[in-house]
């Protein structure tokens, strides 16, 4: 197959390119090339999708499949205008953020969506609405039977520059707590949220399934994530992977809010933690349709172990995109011990 990846040099795009090459396909990546290089064997077409001439070097060719990861509706509009007539199948990486509500565990693809963004340009505040608009534009341009809408959940594994899935194994592998001579060394602060679910799709499994959809022209919308795992079980798996045997200091969501700890991601956060009940279904989506369509998620332990190995290879002075710094962790542990 001739596959055109709109991107292909960043984390997920690069993995898609690797996977497609490994499966014997001819791969071209259209990208600015600022996020990295393409894998050996792929062709890089340097282009800026915000420019009117972005597709000039690829529009005159036939493509068996296009894979796109953008969240800018204008990019979907211009790409389909330039290429739709010469593409066999379109695979679009959407997001579970398209849904209007996140409080119902087990919701499937029929759940209500956010209103589509009425603009070609989005910012992070309108990410979900922008993805809805991208889906709608693609359906209109190529038709329901010629596109896969992959509503991805949290992506993890090696290369996770967001640090959302590597934070916990990394923290358990290197606790910030220096110990107090009383056997409490190595303590780690964790959310006390036994009812909260987590759901991670390994980047390699996602890429494999996306290429599979291109090969088989799998049509429709799919929630694409890993199996649902409770937060306590996820943390227990991260501990085993990291070899952590120290104590856990559990604190509730009200305590975390009072101490200005952010949920999910970003500075001074505890990744994977989300407040309940409004996010009870955010990481508990029904993935049955994707499983029936060939998705095969690997064990969570493998994703976390490989993510930890990757994180250990990064520079020591790298600033994490999510989680607590060592100083913040020690500060919060001290506060929790005196609560």
């Amino acid at each position: 197959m001739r596959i055109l990846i709109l991107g292909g040099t960043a984390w997920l795009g690069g993995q898609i390119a690797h996977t497609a090459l490994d499966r014997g396909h001819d791969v071209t990546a259209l990208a600015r090339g600022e996020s990295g290089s393409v894998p050996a064997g792929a062709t890089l077409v340097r282009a800026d999708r915000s420019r009117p001439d972005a597709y000039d070097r690829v529009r005159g060719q036939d493509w068996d499949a296009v894979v796109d990861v953008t969240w800018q509706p204008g990019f979907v509009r211009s790409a389909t205008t330039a290429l739709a007539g010469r593409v066999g199948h379109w695979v679009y990486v959407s997001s579970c953020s398209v849904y209007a509500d996140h409080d119902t565990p087990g919701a499937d693809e029929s759940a209500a969506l956010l209103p589509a963004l009425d603009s070609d340009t989005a910012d992070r505040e309108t990410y979900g609405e922008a993805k809805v608009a991208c889906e709608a534009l693609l359906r209109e341009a190529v038709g329901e039977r010629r596109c896969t809408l992959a509503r991805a959940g949290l992506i993890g594994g090696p290369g996770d520059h967001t640090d959302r899935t590597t934070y916990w194994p990394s923290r358990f592998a290197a606790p910030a707590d220096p110990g107090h001579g009383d056997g409490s060394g190595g303590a780690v602060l964790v959310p006390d949220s036994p009812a909260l679910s987590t759901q991670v799709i390994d980047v390699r499994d996602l890429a494999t399934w996306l290429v599979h959809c291109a090969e088989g022209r799998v049509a429709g919308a799919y929630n694409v994530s890993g199996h649902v795992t409770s937060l306590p079980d996820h943390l227990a798996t991260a501990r085993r992977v990291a070899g952590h045997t120290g104590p856990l200091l559990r604190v509730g969501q009200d305590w975390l809010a009072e101490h200005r700890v952010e949920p999910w991601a970003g500075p001074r956060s505890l990744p994977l933690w989300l407040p309940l009940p409004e996010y009870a279904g955010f990481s508990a989506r029904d993935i049955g349709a994707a499983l029936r369509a060939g998705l095969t998620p690997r064990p969570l332990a493998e994703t976390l172990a490989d993510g930890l190995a990757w994180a250990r290879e990064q520079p020591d002075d790298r600033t994490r995109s999510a989680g607590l710094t060592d100083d913040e962790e020690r500060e919060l542990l001290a506060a929790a011990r005196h609560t």
Side-chain angles (χ1 to χ4, degrees):
M1 290 179 63
R2 299 190 71 233
I3 297 177
L4 174 64
I5 303 173
L6 301 180
T9 60
W11 182 34
L12 175 58
Q15 188 63 53
I16 295 168
H18 272 293
T19 301
L21 288 166
D22 287 346
R23 293 167 77 107
H25 300 305
D26 183 308
V27 177
T28 296
L30 185 146
R32 290 176 299 176
E34 296 177 355
S35 300
S37 58
V38 296
T43 299
L44 174 63
V45 174
R46 292 187 182 275
D48 183 340
R49 295 182 68 181
S50 66
R51 292 175 55 88
D53 62 351
Y55 307 98
D56 284 0
R57 292 175 58 191
V58 297
R59 73 167 70 236
Q61 305 175 49
D62 292 322
W63 303 96
D64 295 296
V66 164
V67 183
D68 195 0
V69 302
T70 189
W71 52 285
Q72 296 296 338
F75 287 0
V76 172
R77 189 188 305 279
S78 59
T80 54
T81 298
L83 305 172
R86 308 197 68 160
V87 174
H89 192 76
W90 209 288
V91 178
Y92 178 63
V93 183
S94 187
S95 167
C96 283
S97 294
V98 297
Y99 293 111
D101 297 301
H102 302 286
D103 57 358
T104 305
D108 65 13
E109 293 83 359
S110 65
L113 304 182
L114 292 166
L117 183 69
D118 186 21
S119 171
D120 275 355
T121 305
D123 57 28
R124 286 295 175 186
E125 296 300 315
T126 56
Y127 177 80
E129 292 87 347
K131 284 288 193 181
V132 175
C134 290
E135 288 189 8
L137 286 165
L138 190 56
R139 280 193 177 109
E140 181 180 353
V142 306
E144 298 275 355
R145 297 183 179 181
R146 287 178 56 206
C147 63
T148 306
L149 305 178
R151 293 171 180 166
L154 177 62
I155 305 170
D160 183 6
H161 54 90
T162 75
D163 295 302
R164 290 175 295 183
T165 65
T166 56
Y167 172 78
W168 287 110
S170 296
R171 172 56 73 206
F172 286 128
D177 181 26
H180 299 275
D182 57 0
S184 63
V188 173
L189 188 83
V190 301
D192 186 13
S193 193
L196 183 64
S197 296
T198 69
Q199 200 171 20
V200 175
I201 181 68
D202 191 289
V203 65
R204 296 162 293 185
D205 298 335
L206 176 57
T208 297
W209 188 77
L210 294 171
V211 175
H212 161 76
C213 289
E215 294 168 339
R217 298 195 175 186
V218 176
Y222 299 87
N223 294 332
V224 191
S225 197
H227 295 293
V228 176
T229 304
S230 72
L231 180 60
D233 285 348
H234 186 119
L235 296 179
T237 301
R239 290 185 78 200
R240 287 196 300 273
V241 163
H244 180 257
T245 58
L248 302 181
L249 204 54
R250 296 180 174 86
V251 290
Q253 64 180 35
D254 291 342
W255 188 95
L256 289 168
E258 290 168 4
H259 288 80
R260 298 178 293 104
V261 178
E262 297 294 326
W264 191 247
R268 197 178 171 86
S269 69
L270 284 181
L272 307 184
W273 166 59
L274 286 165
L276 295 174
E278 58 266 41
Y279 286 99
F282 187 81
S283 294
R285 295 276 169 190
D286 183 343
I287 61 168
L291 295 175
R292 292 188 292 273
L295 177 67
T296 307
R298 70 191 64 205
L300 177 62
E302 184 177 340
T303 297
L304 296 183
D306 291 349
L308 174 60
W310 172 84
R312 283 172 162 161
E313 295 172 352
Q314 305 314 300
D316 292 338
D317 59 353
R318 182 179 76 96
T319 300
R320 284 193 181 121
S321 298
L324 300 174
T325 66
D326 286 355
D327 287 343
E328 289 167 344
E329 173 93 353
R330 286 188 285 266
E331 166 206 326
L332 291 165
L333 284 169
R337 287 183 174 120
H338 289 91
T339 297

